Amino acid sequence: MTEKSYFNNEYLLQIKDNYNRIAENIGKALNNAGRRDKVRLMAVTKTVPYEIVNYSAELGIDLLGENRVQEFLGKYEYYDRKCQIHFIGALQSNKVKYIVDKVSMIHSVDSIKLANEINKHCKSSGRKMDILIEVNIGNEASKSGVDPDKLSELAEYCTSLSDVTLRGFMAIPPIDINGGSCKYFERMERIYSDYKSKLGGQIDTLSMGMSADYENAVAYGSNIVRIGSALFGKRS
Ligand SMILES: *Cc1c(COP(=O)(O)O)cnc(C)c1O
């Protein structure tokens, strides 16, 4: 069989090992950074069947990250209800209506248009939404996120909205095998702390770090790491 057999015990044991190792690495990174606060481990579920996602919930994961609206809608009703769900992928304005009642935070707000659309749908459905602004911290043409020089305008706009609350920032820095993403993590940490002083307690979330670089992200203050392949294995 070339396909992964999803209830194969070996695969589940692998996920369990992965989970334990990642949790331990996060603990060490917190210690090394002298941090006393916590980091949430988010399981990024793209391409992963809901049975496997729910197995990760049994291990202790309580936060899921969704990238693709269509795929999410197909799996949503089967997910373990104890998990919170955050939307982390590129989000088109016309898809907002499908997710506002299903997620508790959106990490990928990168335009006034999108912020406004989320606010509008929250207002009409009588709920509030926590949001993060995604910052294109490496100024990469290929990546989503707001450019750092447009950030203050967008942040100001978001804080003026009635039904969304800006809680912080998300970033996907350029990958550099020589540890070079640290300078981007450091910039994000500075932005985060600037906004904490400017806006106070509402700013409490810094979402950065993925499978390849989460330990470095924790060293620079991340408190949500978004992990896919290091937990579930390589996506095919
Ligand atoms: C896929 C994805 C991740 C996880 O990536 P891995 O390298 O597999 O850990 C994290 N954040 C976002 C926004 C993603 O799209």
Side-chain angles (χ1 to χ4, degrees), residues 42 44 46 66-67 88-90 134 170-172 209-212 225-231 233 235:
M42 168 194 281
V44 176
K46 60 188 178 231
E66 297 295 319
N67 280 79
I88 63 172
E134 180 178 351
M170 186 265 256
I172 307 175
M210 317 202 307
S211 291
V225 294
R226 307 180 311 270
I227 310 290
S229 51
L231 181 63
R235 287 179 291 274

Side-chain angles (χ1 to χ4, degrees), residues 84-228:
Q84 287 186 349
I85 303 173
H86 290 179
F87 197 84
I88 63 172
L91 183 58
Q92 289 168 281
S93 296
N94 63 357
K95 301 271 175 69
V96 170
K97 57 176 176 286
Y98 300 116
I99 67 160
V100 283
D101 60 336
K102 300 180 181 68
V103 305
S104 58
M105 191 183 277
I106 298 174
H107 290 215
S108 43
V109 175
D110 63 357
S111 70
I112 285 179
K113 184 178 176 212
L114 179 57
N116 197 34
E117 193 70 13
I118 295 167
N119 191 63
K120 195 179 85 189
H121 283 285
C122 284
K123 189 175 286 203
S124 65
S125 59
R127 60 150 306 159
K128 309 280 183 194
M129 182 66 72
D130 289 329
I131 62 169
L132 304 180
I133 291 177
E134 180 178 351
V135 183
N136 184 0
I137 195 63
N139 284 99
E140 295 170 283
S142 64
K143 285 219 180 126
S144 48
V146 66
D147 286 343
D149 61 341
K150 302 263 173 58
L151 172 60
S152 66
E153 186 192 1
L154 179 56
E156 202 167 305
Y157 185 79
C158 289
T159 52
S160 77
L161 294 169
S162 56
D163 295 73
V164 303
T165 304
L166 178 63
R167 298 282 299 271
F169 306 96
M170 186 265 256
I172 307 175
I175 291 288
D176 183 331
I177 44 169
N178 302 316
S181 53
C182 286
K183 78 170 183 238
Y184 300 106
F185 287 144
E186 190 177 7
R187 282 182 204 164
M188 286 307 303
E189 186 179 38
R190 201 169 317 133
I191 288 171
Y192 178 57
S193 99
D194 284 351
Y195 275 87
K196 257 176 165 343
S197 353
K198 232 191 290 189
L199 299 175
Q202 82 176 76
I203 302 295
D204 61 5
T205 307
L206 182 57
S207 166
M208 58 185 195
M210 317 202 307
S211 291
D213 56 9
Y214 65 94
E215 289 152 292
N216 286 332
V218 169
Y220 290 96
S222 168
N223 53 21
I224 297 183
V225 294
R226 307 180 311 270
I227 310 290

Side-chain angles (χ1 to χ4, degrees), residues 4 8-22 55 59 229-234:
K4 255 184 230 157
N8 173 317
N9 205 31
E10 220 170 288
Y11 180 45
L12 296 184
L13 281 175
Q14 185 67 59
I15 293 175
K16 188 175 186 177
D17 279 354
N18 293 343
Y19 172 74
N20 288 334
R21 189 183 59 250
I22 294 163
Y55 175 69
L59 297 173
S229 51
L231 181 63
F232 296 118
K234 244 186 152 151

Side-chain angles (χ1 to χ4, degrees), residues 43-54:
V44 176
T45 69
K46 60 188 178 231
T47 78
V48 181
Y50 70 85
E51 295 94 334
I52 299 298
V53 174
N54 288 343

